[in-house]
Amino acid sequence: MKLLVIGGTGKTGHELIKQGLAQGHIITAVVRKPKKIKYSNPNLYVEKGDVLVPESFERLVKGQDAVLCALGHKQFIIRTTILSRGTKNIVSAMSRNQVKRFICITSLGINDSKFKLGLYYTLFTIPFILYFYFLDKSKQEKIISDSALEWTIVRPGQLTNGKKRTIYKHGSNVGHNIFTKMISRADVAHFMLYILNTNSYLKSTVGITN
């Protein structure tokens, strides 16, 4: 498949690119700093673009089979709308170019999974450290779910840098009210690529943890 990966310089985005290429997909990675992608492959095209500037990446959307979004940033403790504004631009570009399939990472602990990251996140991390970040992720989810795309929102537990195991739980009731469940970025990428080839979780959210 021809896949557009957004957020390819992040750790999950890196896994999406690496695993996607290993599966034989043709990957176009939209990144703000192309030099951060240190490897090359005949099926990898690295393009400079910024999701907050639609004209910098919209031409790359045309002709893709799907868009995989691992968009993130580190501005946790200040009010920001990077995720929601960027996602709105992505959704609009996909709609204009008739690209339907969209898979996007957010997180457990958002909207109807509010308490699924465990007590530590629910009572401390989200309200005191990640409040604005998660608020923006909530808006991001609404933009996606209100769209006419064939979307899937993937909500991982606490992300780790562990190895790809391909053994994990996924579904609407994944997570725990008390304990924080984890999942490797490699396994999240594996799951995103897996559901590309199925009709599982179309127009729905799905949690994923170990």
Side-chain angles (χ1 to χ4, degrees):
M1 299 176 72
K2 295 180 67 176
L3 306 178
L4 188 71
V5 174
I6 294 174
T9 56
K11 292 178 180 178
T12 307
H14 171 83
E15 286 291 338
L16 281 171
I17 293 171
K18 182 177 72 173
Q19 294 184 39
L21 290 171
Q23 293 178 17
H25 298 301
I26 299 170
I27 307 286
T28 300
V30 179
V31 296
R32 288 188 301 124
K33 298 178 180 179
K35 290 183 179 179
K36 283 191 172 184
I37 295 185
K38 303 295 186 181
Y39 49 94
S40 61
N41 185 289
N43 286 337
L44 174 62
Y45 302 89
V46 181
E47 299 283 353
K48 185 174 182 179
D50 186 336
V51 293
L52 300 182
V53 184
E55 56 270 24
S56 73
F57 73 90
E58 180 160 350
R59 63 183 175 83
L60 303 171
V61 176
K62 186 175 182 180
Q64 301 291 340
D65 295 310
V67 176
L68 306 179
C69 180
L71 190 62
H73 60 77
K74 296 182 180 179
Q75 298 180 30
F76 297 136
I77 60 174
I78 62 173
R79 185 182 293 275
T80 176
T81 56
I82 292 173
L83 300 177
S84 54
R85 284 189 295 139
T87 300
K88 183 177 181 180
N89 289 336
I90 296 166
V91 168
S92 296
M94 291 180 66
S95 298
R96 284 192 291 268
N97 287 280
Q98 298 181 332
V99 177
K100 290 292 187 180
R101 191 70 173 106
F102 185 43
I103 302 176
C104 183
I105 303 170
T106 59
S107 176
L108 285 176
I110 295 174
N111 294 328
D112 58 351
S113 69
K114 183 176 181 180
F115 303 108
K116 293 295 187 178
L117 262 182
L119 286 178
Y120 179 72
Y121 273 85
T122 300
L123 299 180
F124 175 69
T125 306
I126 294 173
F128 293 107
I129 299 175
L130 299 177
Y131 177 78
F132 292 119
Y133 192 64
F134 270 52
L135 183 64
D136 197 25
K137 279 184 176 290
S138 178
K139 294 176 181 177
Q140 179 187 28
E141 286 198 350
K142 185 172 187 341
I143 289 166
I144 296 168
S145 61
D146 284 348
S147 76
L149 301 178
E150 295 173 356
W151 56 268
T152 302
I153 293 171
V154 177
R155 293 170 170 169
Q158 182 179 317
L159 292 168
T160 74
N161 294 324
K163 295 180 180 179
K164 182 178 71 173
R165 298 170 60 245
T166 72
I167 302 172
Y168 42 74
K169 299 176 182 176
H170 53 87
S172 59
N173 294 316
V174 168
H176 201 282
N177 290 350
I178 298 175
F179 303 107
T180 299
K181 300 295 184 177
M182 300 184 182
I183 184 74
S184 72
R185 293 174 172 88
D187 276 339
V188 173
H190 177 270
F191 178 69
M192 292 174 73
L193 291 165
Y194 164 73
I195 61 176
L196 269 176
N197 299 307
T198 74
N199 290 323
S200 301
Y201 304 117
L202 282 178
K203 292 185 179 290
S204 63
T205 59
V206 53
I208 176 172
T209 65
N210 286 338

